[in-house]
Amino acid sequence: MDEVRRTKQRKAARLLRSGASVTIESVAERAGVAPATVSRALNHPHKVAPETLARVNQAIAQTGYLPNLVAGGLASSRSRLFAAVVPSIANLVYAETIQSFTRRVREKGYQVVLGESGYDSQTEEDVVTALLGRRPDAIFLIGINHSLECRRKLLAAKIPVAETWDITPTPLDVVVGYDHDKVGEAVAEYLLGRGHRAFACVAASDARALKRQAAFAAEIVRRGGGEVLLETTLPGSSLEWGRQRMAALIEERGFTKGAVFCSSDFLALGVLVEAQARGLSVPGDVAVMGFGDLDFAAHTHPAMTTVKIDRTLMGATAADALLARVVDQPWPESVVDLGFSIVARATA
Amino acid sequence: MDEVRRTKQRKAARLLRSGASVTIESVAERAGVAPATVSRALNHPHKVAPETLARVNQAIAQTGYLPNLVAGGLASSRSRLFAAVVPSIANLVYAETIQSFTRRVREKGYQVVLGESGYDSQTEEDVVTALLGRRPDAIFLIGINHSLECRRKLLAAKIPVAETWDITPTPLDVVVGYDHDKVGEAVAEYLLGRGHRAFACVAASDARALKRQAAFAAEIVRRGGGEVLLETTLPGSSLEWGRQRMAALIEERGFTKGAVFCSSDFLALGVLVEAQARGLSVPGDVAVMGFGDLDFAAHTHPAMTTVKIDRTLMGATAADALLARVVDQPWPESVVDLGFSIVARATA
DNA sequence: GTGAAAGCGCTAACAT
DNA sequence: ATGTTAGCGCTTTCAC
């Protein structure tokens, strides 16, 4: 008895300190029902009598009760949290993917914890590990290259995993993306078809951009287009680096006539600006091709020819796949190829 | 006894189904200590004997134990989670703020749940409410305009709140940003000082951009610069809208000589492109001024004159303020004015 | 349809 | 320095 009293005292002290936050118990008392009924009213309203439901909802409104999802998550082993890790939040293409992903899962009552890998697989592993501690119901990743240890941890977590922005026959779970080799080849074919005879390729040094670059160069060679001048930048992408690499192409390699394929629209915009600033005409002297079809691509001057990737659909599809798996609904495909398309505009 | 057995059976069944995830208890058994000791080894290593610590760490490594932060959060009433809500994730300026915020809090072992308000205060309220259910230890917001109900809920949550990207003498808690009125005035002064005699201002219709626009126009008038042609776009910012508004300025308002102040660098880039596409010289005919000093601004052609905002510092400072408050360390200032600076380059 | 009871996996006094 | 104990606030059988 004495012990019980002491416990109550401690509890009271804590509540006082924490501002006596309202719990399911206080709502239950007010509504004259058991806590379990309040829980049901919230999570399975159809399992509760209409009038009881009304009383509970009234009590909730009166108290301003906000269910504690941490407690709920622990009790139900469903955190209603999805984890997402991207190379960089400040890269528009990933930001847009995250945006559509976040919106879609939010519609279903899930929230997103965000992590950033900085294009580094060790960091990715660390971030993934940290996020898994939050026991997310599913996880969203960019790319298919993860450290062995990272893959192991992901598998051990036994949750749905979506890999995106690439494609592979052997995904960890679901993969939704497109084929970078095919992009490189398609661009090579397109540029050759436009009659260009000299080629360069400026790519950021991240795994996927380099894959496109390699495939592009190989295909140009295979089709008799000759050697491709290769330039790379740090991962990420910026107008500045595009200008820089184009300047190098012109000054160090004498490239003033031909087509340049860039691994991102920002890089391509830089190449375009640098060419124009030096008095070269685009596409007359140099043709420029971007990648991504970001918002601005259609509105540069001249309008940018690029490769369109549906980033929004990619985020939404990954979300749908994870959502389906989380509730054990069928989601037959484990490999979703969203493809890409070449958008022919004026720069190439 | 029978009951105990039934319980154990249920537990066993669950573990089997869930893959028998390793808990603090299994680690404790393996290390030959009590669960509390494992907890201490993890959270207060200095409170544990070196050799015990070693045994525990070994057991952790052997089992691949990953502490359940959900359970930990519930037990300690510290979720080690920060919430962040921004108008749009796909807007570079917010993405960069989130990036520096996320990085800084991660260093201290916190994670970030992300929400998006879509520039709408009702949506903001909904998102904030949902995130508060996760019992974050602190929350990061953009702007100082929140619905009354939203403010109420924020206050009721009794957690540190950082408002950013604006300044006010009456923040909910801490505010770190800069003064939009002063920006408008400073730009007016700058442009007048450069000898311009006709003015336009293209602004996205979000609260802060409109504040800058109004202050700019008022200051131009006050200093005898005449009426300012005002154009607005939807919230957000894009090159496309910049071109569009500039086209309207030229065609509908006959604006072919003067200075245009834009509420973002993307908008300014659009204005620049449109002017150049129409054969107007920049800054000869039209001067263009942006806002934000995004990466690309220094590398457009001509280089863009703009207003520099330290987005990275803003995110990091907000993070520091919240981190300090969460651990009850002193953080004296409740209003942090990061200021801004005009970066005079070639377009204006 | 509703209530009682038993945890979810961890932390934090408290006792030793 | 370590173990014991009592919850954190909720969900979920299981009875009724």
Side-chain angles (χ1 to χ4, degrees), chain A residues 60-74:
Chain A
I60 289 176
Q62 288 172 350
T63 53
Y65 172 60
L66 220 190
N68 183 329
L69 300 177
V70 177
L74 180 58

Side-chain angles (χ1 to χ4, degrees), chain A residues 8-276:
Chain A
K8 294 242 167 187
Q9 280 178 354
R10 246 187 279 136
K11 180 166 185 172
R14 193 175 349 87
L15 284 181
L16 201 65
R17 177 160 42 72
S18 76
S21 74
V22 12
T23 68
I24 205 172
E25 194 178 336
S26 40
V27 174
E29 264 172 32
R30 189 169 201 119
V33 297
T37 301
V38 176
S39 175
R40 269 183 220 110
L42 251 16
N43 303 313
H44 315 281
H46 59 279
K47 289 191 172 179
V48 126
E51 57 184 68
T52 310
L53 189 57
R55 283 216 319 285
V56 170
N57 283 334
Q58 193 189 357
I60 289 176
Q62 288 172 350
T63 53
Y65 172 60
L66 220 190
N68 183 329
L69 300 177
V70 177
L74 180 58
S76 65
S77 325
R78 294 182 60 237
S79 62
R80 294 194 155 278
L81 209 55
F82 279 8
V85 4
V86 296
S88 166
I89 304 165
N91 185 325
L92 262 190
V93 299
Y94 300 129
E96 287 177 5
T97 312
I98 287 291
Q99 180 175 52
S100 69
F101 181 76
T102 305
R103 287 183 181 172
R104 184 61 65 94
V105 303
R106 178 172 137 63
E107 288 168 11
K108 304 291 183 184
Y110 286 79
Q111 291 165 358
V112 175
V113 240
L114 191 61
E116 201 185 27
S117 71
Y119 298 93
D120 175 73
S121 65
Q122 180 57 52
T123 307
E124 183 187 51
E125 181 187 325
D126 295 345
V127 170
V128 165
T129 306
L131 293 180
L132 288 178
R134 200 65 62 180
R135 297 297 187 267
D137 292 336
I139 185 165
F140 171 101
L141 302 171
I142 301 284
I144 54 175
N145 305 311
H146 320 290
S147 72
L148 217 71
E149 187 58 12
C150 185
R151 300 173 69 90
R152 212 189 49 66
K153 286 177 177 169
L154 251 8
L155 259 11
K158 299 203 166 107
I159 55 174
V161 178
E163 294 169 278
T164 61
W165 280 96
D166 208 335
I167 208 89
T168 169
T170 54
L172 280 163
D173 185 1
V174 206
V175 61
V176 14
Y178 58 92
D179 189 325
H180 293 268
D181 289 333
K182 283 191 187 153
V183 170
E185 291 161 13
V187 171
E189 183 182 353
Y190 172 83
L191 254 18
L192 245 6
R194 304 285 289 187
H196 298 290
R197 316 304 308 265
F199 303 91
C201 182
V202 179
S205 47
D206 77 75
R208 293 169 297 283
L210 292 175
K211 218 193 283 189
R212 294 194 295 277
Q213 187 186 55
F216 172 72
E219 185 68 9
I220 290 285
V221 168
R222 201 182 69 76
R223 290 176 177 259
E227 281 307 310
V228 175
L229 300 183
L230 269 25
E231 291 282 344
T232 58
T233 73
L234 289 177
S237 77
S238 77
L239 197 153
E240 179 182 5
W241 298 340
R243 289 195 69 163
Q244 235 180 53
R245 292 303 90 209
M246 185 58 182
L249 238 20
I250 293 169
E251 291 181 1
E252 296 163 21
R253 316 250 223 151
F255 187 89
T256 53
K257 190 90 187 153
V260 188
F261 175 38
C262 303
S263 73
S264 80
D265 286 344
F266 270 112
L267 244 23
L269 184 56
V271 168
L272 174 64
V273 169
E274 185 65 23
Q276 290 175 335

Side-chain angles (χ1 to χ4, degrees), chain B residues 185 192 216-226:
Chain B
E185 290 160 16
L192 246 6
F216 172 71
E219 184 68 7
I220 290 284
V221 169
R222 202 181 69 76
R223 289 174 177 258

